[in-house]
Each structure stands twice: as structure tokens, then as C-alpha cells.
Amino acid sequence: THPGRIHHIAMSGCQHDQLHSHSANGTSNGTSNESSEAHLHEGLVYCELPSWEDFTLHFSACMGVFAALVVSSMLLSSCRNLWNGEFVSRLLRRLVSDVSMSRVYLCIVALIALLVCVLHVVRFQAGDIYGNAMALGTARILNDVEAYSCFLHLFEVLVIWLFTTANSSGGIKGFPVARTIVDSFLLTSIFLRYFSGTQHSHFSFAYVASLRIFGIWNAFRSTLSICWEGVSLQMVHTGIVLLTFVFFTSMLLQQLESLAGKPWPVNSATDSQYPAQRWSMDSSLYYVAMTIATVGYGDLWPRSLLGQMCTIGIAIKGLYLLVKCSFGILAAVYQGVGGGGLYEKNTRNKHVIVAGNPSYQVLVDFVQELFHEDHMQESEDLNLVLLLNPGLESTLQAMKSYLNRVQNRRLQHRVWVLQGSAVKSRDLDRVGYKDATMAWLLPNLYSEDAQREDLDNAMRALAMLRHTKFVRIAVVCLKVEHRPLLTAVGIPRGDILCAGELKVGILGKACQVQGFAAWAAILLKNTKAPERLVNDLARPWMAEFTRGLENELYEVNLSKAYLGAPFGAIALDVVERSEGKAFLVGYIEEAIFPGDATATYVFPGRSVHIGNNEDKLCKGIFIAACREDIRQHVEWKNFAWSIVGAGPADAALKAGLAKQLGAPGLPNAIPEPLAVKGAQGFVREWFTIEDEKLSGTEKTMVSAAKVRASKGVQTYGKVSQFAAERLVGGVSADAVASMELAGAEGSSGDAAKALFNQHLEAQREAEREAEVVEVEGEIRKHERSMAAYARVMNLVTNEEVDKWRGLDMAPEEKDQDDELWGGAPPPAMTLWGSPKEPPPALLVRGGHALILALDADDTAEDRGGGSPTNNAKPVPCRKPGSRHGLMELVGCLHAGIPRHRARPLVVLANEVPYDWPAIAGIGDVYLVLGPPLSGSVLRRGGLQQAHVVVVHQLKPSVTDDPSTVDSEAVFACRLVESLITAAGKDIPVVCDIMLERNAFFIPHVLRSRTDGWRIRIAKDTDKEKADEDELPRDRKLHTEDSTLPFYMQTRFATGQLFVSSVITATAANMMYNPALPSIFQELLSAGYMVLPLDEEWTTGTYADLFRHFMKRRNVLPVGLLRRMDHVPEDEEDEDEGIDTLGGKKGGIAGVGKEFNEKETVRWKPRECPSERIVIVMPPGDMQVAEHDGVICMMPTRGKPILPPLEELVAPPSK
């Protein structure tokens, strides 16, 4: 026998026989007192060995109870109408539901069952069958605890039995047989041993409580959400199954092999063959474990026939459970690896969900933006769950590989990649949709079928809203015409981001405002320059450009002190308090009550009062590097924005100033004088009015003094008026006319005065006539040149048409041509929407925006635009192409600016856009049909006279290699720039691409003016670059360009690049700025212009410029256009020139200094656009250069004060 596991009987034969005799006497007599006295000795109790008679008694009683429950249930259910079974079922349904589904109750009964198992083990170990004594008090306590703990179980059994009987139809079907067997054996055996006074052993079926624990665990597991399912739950389930099975079978074997008396039915082995054995608990556990593991050392075996039969069942069932549990764990692991797991919720973290059909690149852009280091504090407790469609296995594996990179290790425990469908409730439960903070539905931005993508997302949004209505869903749709589908489903308009509308809106604004594409991308996407590139010597402009890269849009609750104040006063106060680090550009009136709409406003005007609606929460829209930089007025103090100041000296001026401007009513009713040149501020300050009064008085006194001095010289010096004015210094005619010349003597003075006035009037008339003649000459010259060009264009066009139609052919030639081609040429087809080609006058004048619409589907074969065969009938109308979003593009191009300042639009497309009829009635919109990549079509569109060229990619070029989606856009951009460079022009080319890494294939082309000092600098720079020491440096710079992020490349800095990842970044930033789509939609609907600095502006910081433009011109500066060769004043060297092309000090000595002395002009539209970078909302301490162009936002509710038109419009190209 094995030591420690098998105990030999330590009692002598007489002791063994005495125990059996006591047991027999006690059983036959039935007197508990005598048996108790026989076994009590000095406060100790000795238990008899459990016998086969005890086993037979308990087994028979348990089976009888089970049979009684089954038979009575069948009888009662068959006559359930007699005792109103429906009423009993309704009465007990709620109680049964609580008993079966309440997690608290299940935990309580599980603890009770565990207590029964523990008491069985304690009773066996403390007062076991081998003669160990147990205190009498301890035995009674254990018996009482075990019995009373089962009364709750008994109540549960009766309730469930009665409920099942009331719902049954009289058969065994639907009756819980397995549970009834376990309950019958457990309760009957425990109560029989406790209440029966004839049993002197510890025999019972109390270990059956382990099977009850297994049943309770299954019920508890069914109450768990599907989100709990996974490898961890499967491991717990496997442990509980194996532990309960091993404990039950080991206790059963130990009980069968330790019963005293003759084994039932027969002995399989005699004591003469094998020594007598008694099984302990640890030996039974050891034997069951070795049997399940199929080891079988042979040191222990069952003696009874029942024990041997149970061993066979244990071996079979144990192997089955091991295999089943192993496969369950493997399936859970495989499911988790394959995206079929679930999100394990963490009470400390919130989570968001991304569903839809996004591509790998879209997901990478979204993850990078959501967990950007600028949002580190806001996303500290945020987890992301990606629910990918089952067909996106390649995307799933690619995302797992992306998360396993070294630089992305911090995201491994924060990003969950699962597979499933957002339409299925089970998959939504797996990702914890009900507890999610927000959800996104993202499409594949590079898909060929945009309609299919939007329809699928609309279906997903409907399913998600039906599942849970209180989770915010942000949807990105590809086409703006599909927005009504989402609003009809129930998605608010503010939570819908239209990718096509955002893209064409930015491109439309880029046609009107230089650098707008970069300005918009920086505000919508987190861009931060690597530290190694900030002070790059090869790019001296990089340090200033990166100061604008850190800016973002933020929504922050507006201080209550600002409510009722004018927008201009609040904006200037924010700039002052934040030390130029934050700027207010708009505000949001967020709805508080259900049913109200949220309104968004961007720069309504300096005098517009905000925050007057008490039923809405007022939020400010700020541009800043971080939220901490935004500083506002404290709420508990009054914000002094009134006309006069708040000091004691200003108190006495309130009465007079109020009398001058009119008595105001409410604070928001203070009138503002008319907006004229020189007006100061949102309301005219008292000191400004006084300064103007003093200046006017001084001018009047000087003019009067000159008039009196001239009159005195004439009177006392006896000279003519002309001579007197020469001596005095000249007198204006207005001053003379306004003065009363009282006291003048003689008629000579009147004659001289009349002669002087006549001479002055004649001079003015001559100047006016000369100006009129000059203007008329310029007009006639321009008209003649345009008429000549139009005649040439018409002749060329008519000649080409005549040749194609055969109108200039002789009759013999026409017959031969018809015979050659099989018939006469077909008649011209009617075009969809009747588009107009640009007139020759427009092509001569130039200044238009040229759009190259690249669409792979618009081919002649697909749209019916090819030449018909000889048997084909003429097509009455040429089929249109796809939608181009022209309505949104034209709307953004013309929004917020006067109609006469809007640029004409020329679209180059292979087919007529489907949405062309919507803009056919808008003037200055033209179409040129033909391949956009054809040089002749580009010339027909007036490429060399265009103001800006936009390469708009409607659909990606889908090939086997995903990296080539931008191939057509890249080659179109290269072709256009080569034609522009060959013609000696400098026209900006804004390129629209899909992937960020493809920006390297369209490098920036720096074109310098051919007049002026730049050629001289370039020549000397070329000589320097010929040096051998410079060659490795140039090659190194070229190599580094391929690794730069797109927002650090020169082309992006000049505003000539747009990347579709901006759309994905906008969607991700909706987590931190919920109203971001509405904000940017308002920004696109506002007007923008690039203004030069005023003549009176000398020097100052950007904060000073912000105040100056806000007060003087009622416009909001949002950025600067700065030359690349600009060097801050603190870095200039007076002894050396500056190599503007090489970007370092050197070159010809003194040239840079001489240029800086000469070039003190303001910004002009005629300057080379490729030489200016965009600085978005520079910090307030940045110095403003005199040559900077200021990107200004026009007020949406007021009128700006703009400089003359000739300062804003570039002259026509020569």
C-alpha cells in the first residue's frame, strides 16, 4: 500500500466486532438514549463505520423522494385546471426569476453548498471512521449548521417544483430531472441523518453539494453578458468543472470502499488474496486524478463491484471532460486571436467603438489621431474597440502587426481588435456597446463604390440605434447627397461628417485664399514637428512654421462674465489674458433643453453681442496650442467692456459721451457709429473721439493761419495773391473757400481771388480730363487685344470644326471622305446640363481657378462618349459622368465675399458632371470636356492664365498595389507643373492625394522672379553649391525629405497639398470637440481674404496686429503668409548677405542688406505664391514683417472695412 494515502485498520478484532454489535443493537432497539450513552465517554463521541446498510437506506430514501416528486408533478400538472395552475404560475414567476437569475441569490446558495461540502470534509477528518474522537459539542454544531443551511435550499426546491408543475402539460418533458435528482439525494440524505436517531455513523450524500455548485455556476454564467466571454472565463469554467467532478467522484469512491460489512452485491476480491484497505480522502483524490490522467500506477484499486463500475465511468467521463475543456480553451484563444473575442470591460476606463468598413490606412490614421500625445491627458483612461467586418481578415492581421510594433507598445492594452457585425446585437454586446462613451461608423475612403459604403453605414446606424439609443454615433459619409439617409435613420446632423463636402470645401477655399488648404489641415489634424527638424538650417522658415503647427480648435465653456458683451471686446480680452497664446474665433449656443437646436457662429463681427440667450449654454471656439493656454475673465467679476473705461477719471466722461452717442438701453443696445475708415474698435472709445476732435481743430487752425498770413502779405506788401501764397507756403482752396475774408479793401483783392479760383478750377479740370483719357485709352487697348484674341480663337475653333465636319471640303473631297468612312459625320450630341466653355475673353484676362477632375470611371467607352460606328444611330444626349460635388465647391468658393470678387471657375473633366445642372445657372462657371491629363485640354482651359490649379481626385486609382491609389493625381500634378515652369509662370498647384506617404512624389517647385536681385543671389549660390563640400549635404537633405511627415514638407507649408487623412483626423477629434463638423462647416461658409498691412503699420507683434485689424477693419486675422527667405530681426547680420535659396548666411556681401533697405513694400497678389509659407495663428509674441500677407476672416453679420480693390486683386497675366 501507498504510505500516507491508505490506512490499515488499527483496531483489534474484538473492537471491530464490538462496534458492529453496538450498531446492530442500536438499529434493532431504536433507542437513541442507550446508543448515545454507549458511545459517550468523557465528553467524546466515537462514530461507527458507515455500513452498506446505511448506504442502502439512504439510497432507497433518496430515490423514493425523487419518484414521489416526479409522479406527483405529473398528476398535478394533468389536472392543473382544478387548482388554478395559471394563477400559481403567474404568482411564482417573479420569484422563480429571482431565484434563477439573481446573482446575489446565486452567490448565497453557492456559499451554502460550499459550506456543506466543507462540513462533510471536516466531519470526515475530525471524527473519521478510524476511531478518532471528536468533541460532542463540535459534532452537534456541525450537524446543526449543515441541517439548517439546507432549509433555504428546500424552499427553493419546492418553489421551482411547484412552478414547473403549474407550467407543465402532464408529461415528463420540461421537468428538471437532473436537478431534481441532485436535490433529492442531497436534502433527503442530510435530513435523514440529522433527524433520525438510529444512525450512529457520519454517512450521508452531502458531497452531492459539489454537483449543486456546478449547476449554480452554469446559472450564474448565463446571467453574464457576452462581454465577459473569453479565455479568462473559459479557464474559470474549466477549473470549476474539473474540481467539482474530481471532488464528487473521489468522495463517492472513498465512501464505497470504506463501507463496513459485506460489499453489495458481491465481493470482487477476497481478503485472502489482497490485504484489507480503507480509503482516506486524499487517497481517493489521488486515485481519481491518476485515473483521469490515464497514468494508473497500480498502487490502489477498488475492491467492491460498485467501486470498479464507478471507476470505469470516471475514466470515460474524465477523459471526455478533459478533451472538451481543452478544446473550449483553444477555441477561446483562437477566437480572441482571430478577432472573435470580446472586450473585457474595466470599471476605471471608458471605451469607444469603431465599426463600419474602414481600411487599414483609415484605422491607422484614426488610432494615431485619437491617442496623439497632444490628447494624452484626455485619453488617459480611454480604450478603443475596433469591430471589423468578418471579411476583413487582412485588415485585422495588419492592425495586430501595427500594434505589435515597438513604438506602439503603449497601445496594445488600449486597442481591442475584434471581428463582428454592427448589425447583430450579439456582436454589439461583445464590444460593450451599451456602456460605450461614443461610437464611430467609418467607411473605406478609398472605395470605388461610395454609395454602397454610405448605405451600409446607414443600415449599421439603424441597428445600433435600435439596440441602444443613448450612445452617441458619429458617421462619416462619402457623399453629401447621402446625408438625408442618415438623418432619416436618426443620426443628428451635427454628428454626420461628409468627407466629400469637407474636401471640396477646403479645395474651393484654396482657390480663393492662398494657403487655405494648409490652414484647414493644421486645425483639423494634430501636427507636431519633430524636434530634430525645428532648427533645420536647410529650411530657415521651419522654426516659424512649426509655431503654427501646434494650434488646434477647442470648445471651451465661455466665462459668464462675457455674456452680453460684444465679440470684439471678448476676443481682445482673451488675447490679453492668454498672453497671445489663445484666440477666440467664434462661439456655440448649445441647446440645454430637448428639442432645441444648437447654433454655431464664427466671427459674427466685432460689435455683435453674444450670450443673450439664457436657454442655451454658450461655448467659445478657440484656436490655441492646448486647452491650458486659454485664459478667460473670472466669472465672479464684472467684465468692463463699455465705451469708457472703468477708472475714476472716466466716470465724469460718461454723461457727455452718452449724450453724444445717444442714451443706451440695454448693454447690448449701445449703438456703434458708421463703419468708416479710421473707426476704432467695436465701439468708439472716448480718447479716440477726443484725438480726432483735436486733430481736426489743429488742421482748421493751421489752414486759417495760412489764409490770414497770405491776406496780410497781400495787403501790406502790395503783392499778388499768387506771390503771397508762395511766400506763405500754399493755401488750400477749401480753406480759402471756407474762410470769411471780411475786411478786404479794394477790388484788387476780389479780382486776385477770382483769378486764383479760376486757375485752380482749370487745373483740376485738366487733371480730370487727363485721367479720363488715360483710363479710356487703357480700356480701348484692352478691348482691342481681347477682340483680336477672340477672332483668332474663333478662327481656329471654326477651322477645326469645319475640318471635322467637312464644311471646307470640295464636293469631290467630301464624297471621297464619306466613302472612306462609310458615311457622313454624325450630328453633334446634346450635352448633359448644357455646359458652357470658357469664353476667349476670360482666357485672355485670366485669374480663374482651374479644376482638374480626375475620375477613373469617366471614360468615353463607359459613358457613351466615343465615336459611333457606321451602323450606330446618333445619341440624342451624351451620358453624364459621376457627381463632382460642384455645388459645394462653388458655394465655398463664393461664400462670404462679394460676387464681383469671386474668381471664375473652369472645370476640366472627361465627361459632364452629373451635378452640372445644379450650377448651370451660376455665372462664371465653365466646363472643358476632354482628358484632364492632355496638354491641349489644359491649354483650352487657360492653364497659363489661371490663378490657381487644383488637382481634384474624385476616386482613387484602384490597382493590385494599394500604394498606387494616387498615381493619377501625382502624374497630373507633375504634368501641370512642368507646363507652368516651361511657360515661365508661377501658378500654385494644389494637389489632392489619398495617402500621406505619396506626398514625397510631388515635391515643391520653387520658382523665382526673373526680375530683381534673386538672379544675382542664385548665381552666386550655384557657385557655392559647386563646391565639393556641399555635395554630400545636398544629397543628405534629399534623402531626409522622403522620411518627413507630409505636414513638414515645403509643398504643404505653402498650402499646395491636401491629404485625405485630414478627414479621418476630423472624425477622431469629434471625441474631444463634439461640434467640430458644425464648426468647420461654418468656417467654410465664412469669407476669407489676404490683406496687406496698413500703411500706418510700422512694426509690432501678432497680438498687436490682431488688435489693429479687429478695431480698424472689423476682420479677424487667422494666419500669415510669410516669405521663405524671411529672417527675424534678432538673427540678421549687418555685415553679411542672406542666401535666400540656400537658406544660410553668406553669398554676396551687402546684397541682403541692400535688398532689405529697398524692399519695404507690402504684400501684393502678384508676388510668387510658391515662396510664401502659411503660419496658422502665430503666437502673440511673434514679430510681424512688413511684407507679410494677413489671412483674414470676414464677419458673418457685419461689413468689413477693406482697402482699395487694386490692392487685393492681382493684375492680369501677360
Side-chain angles (χ1 to χ4, degrees), residues 665-691:
L666 297 174
N668 60 354
I670 295 180
E672 179 186 3
L674 294 178
V676 296
K677 188 174 183 179
Q680 290 286 333
F682 34 88
V683 288
R684 303 195 64 189
E685 295 87 348
W686 169 81
F687 56 83
T688 305
I689 299 175
E690 292 298 320
D691 288 345

mmCIF file of all heavy atoms in Angstrom, residues 665-691:
data_model
loop_
_atom_site.group_PDB
_atom_site.id
_atom_site.type_symbol
_atom_site.label_atom_id
_atom_site.label_comp_id
_atom_site.label_asym_id
_atom_site.label_seq_id
_atom_site.Cartn_x
_atom_site.Cartn_y
_atom_site.Cartn_z
ATOM 1 N N GLY A 665 -30.015 101.723 -24.098
ATOM 2 C CA GLY A 665 -30.998 100.993 -23.306
ATOM 3 C C GLY A 665 -30.317 99.863 -22.577
ATOM 4 O O GLY A 665 -29.691 100.050 -21.553
ATOM 5 N N LEU A 666 -30.419 98.689 -23.131
ATOM 6 C CA LEU A 666 -29.715 97.545 -22.572
ATOM 7 C C LEU A 666 -28.242 97.585 -22.963
ATOM 8 O O LEU A 666 -27.862 98.302 -23.898
ATOM 9 C CB LEU A 666 -30.365 96.253 -23.074
ATOM 10 C CG LEU A 666 -31.828 96.046 -22.633
ATOM 11 C CD1 LEU A 666 -32.385 94.813 -23.309
ATOM 12 C CD2 LEU A 666 -31.958 95.949 -21.131
ATOM 13 N N PRO A 667 -27.403 96.819 -22.286
ATOM 14 C CA PRO A 667 -25.977 96.818 -22.670
ATOM 15 C C PRO A 667 -25.739 96.389 -24.099
ATOM 16 O O PRO A 667 -24.822 96.865 -24.740
ATOM 17 C CB PRO A 667 -25.363 95.825 -21.673
ATOM 18 C CG PRO A 667 -26.277 95.862 -20.497
ATOM 19 C CD PRO A 667 -27.645 96.084 -21.048
ATOM 20 N N ASN A 668 -26.582 95.503 -24.615
ATOM 21 C CA ASN A 668 -26.374 95.058 -25.988
ATOM 22 C C ASN A 668 -27.032 95.977 -26.998
ATOM 23 O O ASN A 668 -27.131 95.640 -28.161
ATOM 24 C CB ASN A 668 -26.920 93.640 -26.163
ATOM 25 C CG ASN A 668 -28.407 93.576 -25.858
ATOM 26 O OD1 ASN A 668 -28.994 94.551 -25.411
ATOM 27 N ND2 ASN A 668 -28.991 92.414 -26.084
ATOM 28 N N ALA A 669 -27.528 97.126 -26.552
ATOM 29 C CA ALA A 669 -28.180 98.073 -27.457
ATOM 30 C C ALA A 669 -27.363 99.324 -27.656
ATOM 31 O O ALA A 669 -27.861 100.310 -28.177
ATOM 32 C CB ALA A 669 -29.565 98.445 -26.931
ATOM 33 N N ILE A 670 -26.079 99.341 -27.220
ATOM 34 C CA ILE A 670 -25.239 100.522 -27.412
ATOM 35 C C ILE A 670 -24.966 100.690 -28.891
ATOM 36 O O ILE A 670 -24.445 99.790 -29.533
ATOM 37 C CB ILE A 670 -23.919 100.378 -26.634
ATOM 38 C CG1 ILE A 670 -24.217 100.348 -25.134
ATOM 39 C CG2 ILE A 670 -22.968 101.499 -26.954
ATOM 40 C CD1 ILE A 670 -23.007 100.205 -24.281
ATOM 41 N N PRO A 671 -25.338 101.830 -29.490
ATOM 42 C CA PRO A 671 -25.144 101.993 -30.932
ATOM 43 C C PRO A 671 -23.684 102.171 -31.273
ATOM 44 O O PRO A 671 -22.879 102.603 -30.450
ATOM 45 C CB PRO A 671 -25.958 103.249 -31.259
ATOM 46 C CG PRO A 671 -25.928 104.039 -29.982
ATOM 47 C CD PRO A 671 -25.948 103.033 -28.869
ATOM 48 N N GLU A 672 -23.336 101.832 -32.487
ATOM 49 C CA GLU A 672 -21.978 101.982 -32.995
ATOM 50 C C GLU A 672 -22.009 102.959 -34.159
ATOM 51 O O GLU A 672 -22.901 102.881 -35.017
ATOM 52 C CB GLU A 672 -21.433 100.645 -33.465
ATOM 53 C CG GLU A 672 -20.025 100.755 -34.020
ATOM 54 C CD GLU A 672 -19.560 99.445 -34.611
ATOM 55 O OE1 GLU A 672 -20.364 98.511 -34.634
ATOM 56 O OE2 GLU A 672 -18.405 99.381 -35.058
ATOM 57 N N PRO A 673 -21.075 103.899 -34.241
ATOM 58 C CA PRO A 673 -21.040 104.801 -35.400
ATOM 59 C C PRO A 673 -20.832 104.024 -36.684
ATOM 60 O O PRO A 673 -20.460 102.862 -36.689
ATOM 61 C CB PRO A 673 -19.850 105.704 -35.080
ATOM 62 C CG PRO A 673 -19.654 105.591 -33.611
ATOM 63 C CD PRO A 673 -20.085 104.215 -33.237
ATOM 64 N N LEU A 674 -21.101 104.698 -37.805
ATOM 65 C CA LEU A 674 -20.945 104.049 -39.095
ATOM 66 C C LEU A 674 -19.506 103.593 -39.289
ATOM 67 O O LEU A 674 -18.564 104.264 -38.877
ATOM 68 C CB LEU A 674 -21.340 105.011 -40.215
ATOM 69 C CG LEU A 674 -22.821 105.401 -40.243
ATOM 70 C CD1 LEU A 674 -23.066 106.398 -41.358
ATOM 71 C CD2 LEU A 674 -23.700 104.184 -40.414
ATOM 72 N N ALA A 675 -19.339 102.442 -39.931
ATOM 73 C CA ALA A 675 -18.010 101.882 -40.163
ATOM 74 C C ALA A 675 -17.338 102.644 -41.277
ATOM 75 O O ALA A 675 -17.625 102.449 -42.448
ATOM 76 C CB ALA A 675 -18.115 100.410 -40.511
ATOM 77 N N VAL A 676 -16.475 103.564 -40.926
ATOM 78 C CA VAL A 676 -15.730 104.344 -41.900
ATOM 79 C C VAL A 676 -14.260 104.117 -41.653
ATOM 80 O O VAL A 676 -13.859 103.590 -40.622
ATOM 81 C CB VAL A 676 -16.067 105.845 -41.804
ATOM 82 C CG1 VAL A 676 -17.535 106.082 -42.151
ATOM 83 C CG2 VAL A 676 -15.770 106.363 -40.409
ATOM 84 N N LYS A 677 -13.459 104.525 -42.619
ATOM 85 C CA LYS A 677 -12.024 104.358 -42.476
ATOM 86 C C LYS A 677 -11.526 105.210 -41.318
ATOM 87 O O LYS A 677 -11.800 106.410 -41.246
ATOM 88 C CB LYS A 677 -11.326 104.753 -43.774
ATOM 89 C CG LYS A 677 -9.850 104.416 -43.755
ATOM 90 C CD LYS A 677 -9.224 104.682 -45.102
ATOM 91 C CE LYS A 677 -7.747 104.276 -45.085
ATOM 92 N NZ LYS A 677 -7.109 104.485 -46.385
ATOM 93 N N GLY A 678 -10.809 104.576 -40.410
ATOM 94 C CA GLY A 678 -10.322 105.269 -39.237
ATOM 95 C C GLY A 678 -11.132 104.996 -37.996
ATOM 96 O O GLY A 678 -10.766 105.432 -36.918
ATOM 97 N N ALA A 679 -12.279 104.308 -38.149
ATOM 98 C CA ALA A 679 -13.083 103.981 -36.973
ATOM 99 C C ALA A 679 -12.315 103.029 -36.070
ATOM 100 O O ALA A 679 -11.668 102.111 -36.539
ATOM 101 C CB ALA A 679 -14.406 103.369 -37.389
ATOM 102 N N GLN A 680 -12.403 103.245 -34.785
ATOM 103 C CA GLN A 680 -11.624 102.470 -33.828
ATOM 104 C C GLN A 680 -12.533 101.588 -33.006
ATOM 105 O O GLN A 680 -13.464 102.064 -32.377
ATOM 106 C CB GLN A 680 -10.846 103.409 -32.883
ATOM 107 C CG GLN A 680 -9.719 104.156 -33.552
ATOM 108 C CD GLN A 680 -8.548 103.257 -33.838
ATOM 109 O OE1 GLN A 680 -8.333 102.275 -33.157
ATOM 110 N NE2 GLN A 680 -7.792 103.578 -34.856
ATOM 111 N N GLY A 681 -12.268 100.324 -33.026
ATOM 112 C CA GLY A 681 -12.892 99.425 -32.081
ATOM 113 C C GLY A 681 -14.315 99.057 -32.402
ATOM 114 O O GLY A 681 -14.936 99.554 -33.327
ATOM 115 N N PHE A 682 -14.817 98.159 -31.603
ATOM 116 C CA PHE A 682 -16.195 97.692 -31.733
ATOM 117 C C PHE A 682 -17.164 98.775 -31.290
ATOM 118 O O PHE A 682 -18.283 98.853 -31.752
ATOM 119 C CB PHE A 682 -16.377 96.444 -30.885
ATOM 120 C CG PHE A 682 -15.569 96.447 -29.630
ATOM 121 C CD1 PHE A 682 -16.080 97.002 -28.491
ATOM 122 C CD2 PHE A 682 -14.288 95.940 -29.627
ATOM 123 C CE1 PHE A 682 -15.330 97.032 -27.341
ATOM 124 C CE2 PHE A 682 -13.534 95.968 -28.475
ATOM 125 C CZ PHE A 682 -14.047 96.510 -27.320
ATOM 126 N N VAL A 683 -16.766 99.645 -30.335
ATOM 127 C CA VAL A 683 -17.447 100.899 -30.008
ATOM 128 C C VAL A 683 -16.354 101.952 -29.921
ATOM 129 O O VAL A 683 -15.230 101.669 -29.538
ATOM 130 C CB VAL A 683 -18.218 100.797 -28.669
ATOM 131 C CG1 VAL A 683 -19.443 99.943 -28.815
ATOM 132 C CG2 VAL A 683 -17.343 100.258 -27.572
ATOM 133 N N ARG A 684 -16.650 103.153 -30.295
ATOM 134 C CA ARG A 684 -15.611 104.181 -30.369
ATOM 135 C C ARG A 684 -15.249 104.649 -28.975
ATOM 136 O O ARG A 684 -16.069 105.197 -28.243
ATOM 137 C CB ARG A 684 -16.085 105.340 -31.232
ATOM 138 C CG ARG A 684 -16.492 104.896 -32.629
ATOM 139 C CD ARG A 684 -16.613 106.054 -33.583
ATOM 140 N NE ARG A 684 -15.330 106.691 -33.783
ATOM 141 C CZ ARG A 684 -15.165 107.837 -34.443
ATOM 142 N NH1 ARG A 684 -16.201 108.432 -34.969
ATOM 143 N NH2 ARG A 684 -13.980 108.365 -34.573
ATOM 144 N N GLU A 685 -13.992 104.490 -28.613
ATOM 145 C CA GLU A 685 -13.541 104.877 -27.285
ATOM 146 C C GLU A 685 -13.512 106.400 -27.173
ATOM 147 O O GLU A 685 -13.361 107.136 -28.146
ATOM 148 C CB GLU A 685 -12.142 104.299 -27.014
ATOM 149 C CG GLU A 685 -12.106 102.770 -26.968
ATOM 150 C CD GLU A 685 -11.916 102.159 -28.332
ATOM 151 O OE1 GLU A 685 -12.043 102.914 -29.309
ATOM 152 O OE2 GLU A 685 -11.685 100.939 -28.401
ATOM 153 N N TRP A 686 -13.606 106.856 -25.958
ATOM 154 C CA TRP A 686 -13.670 108.311 -25.731
ATOM 155 C C TRP A 686 -12.381 108.997 -26.165
ATOM 156 O O TRP A 686 -12.399 110.052 -26.789
ATOM 157 C CB TRP A 686 -13.923 108.554 -24.238
ATOM 158 C CG TRP A 686 -13.752 109.992 -23.860
ATOM 159 C CD1 TRP A 686 -14.645 111.001 -24.002
ATOM 160 C CD2 TRP A 686 -12.573 110.596 -23.303
ATOM 161 N NE1 TRP A 686 -14.138 112.181 -23.578
ATOM 162 C CE2 TRP A 686 -12.835 111.969 -23.132
ATOM 163 C CE3 TRP A 686 -11.335 110.101 -22.935
ATOM 164 C CZ2 TRP A 686 -11.902 112.843 -22.601
ATOM 165 C CZ3 TRP A 686 -10.406 110.966 -22.420
ATOM 166 C CH2 TRP A 686 -10.688 112.326 -22.254
ATOM 167 N N PHE A 687 -11.233 108.370 -25.841
ATOM 168 C CA PHE A 687 -9.966 109.029 -26.175
ATOM 169 C C PHE A 687 -9.754 109.085 -27.685
ATOM 170 O O PHE A 687 -9.134 110.011 -28.193
ATOM 171 C CB PHE A 687 -8.792 108.309 -25.493
ATOM 172 C CG PHE A 687 -8.689 106.858 -25.817
ATOM 173 C CD1 PHE A 687 -8.062 106.424 -26.972
ATOM 174 C CD2 PHE A 687 -9.226 105.917 -24.971
ATOM 175 C CE1 PHE A 687 -7.975 105.086 -27.262
ATOM 176 C CE2 PHE A 687 -9.133 104.577 -25.262
ATOM 177 C CZ PHE A 687 -8.509 104.158 -26.414
ATOM 178 N N THR A 688 -10.299 108.109 -28.434
ATOM 179 C CA THR A 688 -10.178 108.172 -29.896
ATOM 180 C C THR A 688 -10.995 109.331 -30.453
ATOM 181 O O THR A 688 -10.553 110.055 -31.351
ATOM 182 C CB THR A 688 -10.657 106.854 -30.501
ATOM 183 O OG1 THR A 688 -9.924 105.782 -29.916
ATOM 184 C CG2 THR A 688 -10.456 106.848 -32.001
ATOM 185 N N ILE A 689 -12.194 109.501 -29.924
ATOM 186 C CA ILE A 689 -13.030 110.628 -30.380
ATOM 187 C C ILE A 689 -12.369 111.959 -30.057
ATOM 188 O O ILE A 689 -12.336 112.889 -30.874
ATOM 189 C CB ILE A 689 -14.424 110.524 -29.732
ATOM 190 C CG1 ILE A 689 -15.109 109.215 -30.159
ATOM 191 C CG2 ILE A 689 -15.287 111.717 -30.092
ATOM 192 C CD1 ILE A 689 -16.430 108.977 -29.484
ATOM 193 N N GLU A 690 -11.801 112.072 -28.870
ATOM 194 C CA GLU A 690 -11.140 113.324 -28.485
ATOM 195 C C GLU A 690 -9.912 113.590 -29.355
ATOM 196 O O GLU A 690 -9.647 114.737 -29.730
ATOM 197 C CB GLU A 690 -10.752 113.265 -27.000
ATOM 198 C CG GLU A 690 -11.935 113.265 -26.059
ATOM 199 C CD GLU A 690 -12.760 114.536 -26.194
ATOM 200 O OE1 GLU A 690 -12.176 115.613 -26.334
ATOM 201 O OE2 GLU A 690 -14.002 114.434 -26.177
ATOM 202 N N ASP A 691 -9.148 112.529 -29.686
ATOM 203 C CA ASP A 691 -7.991 112.721 -30.557
ATOM 204 C C ASP A 691 -8.406 113.223 -31.932
ATOM 205 O O ASP A 691 -7.748 114.099 -32.515
ATOM 206 C CB ASP A 691 -7.224 111.399 -30.689
ATOM 207 C CG ASP A 691 -6.483 111.055 -29.416
ATOM 208 O OD1 ASP A 691 -6.327 111.954 -28.569
ATOM 209 O OD2 ASP A 691 -6.080 109.889 -29.270
#
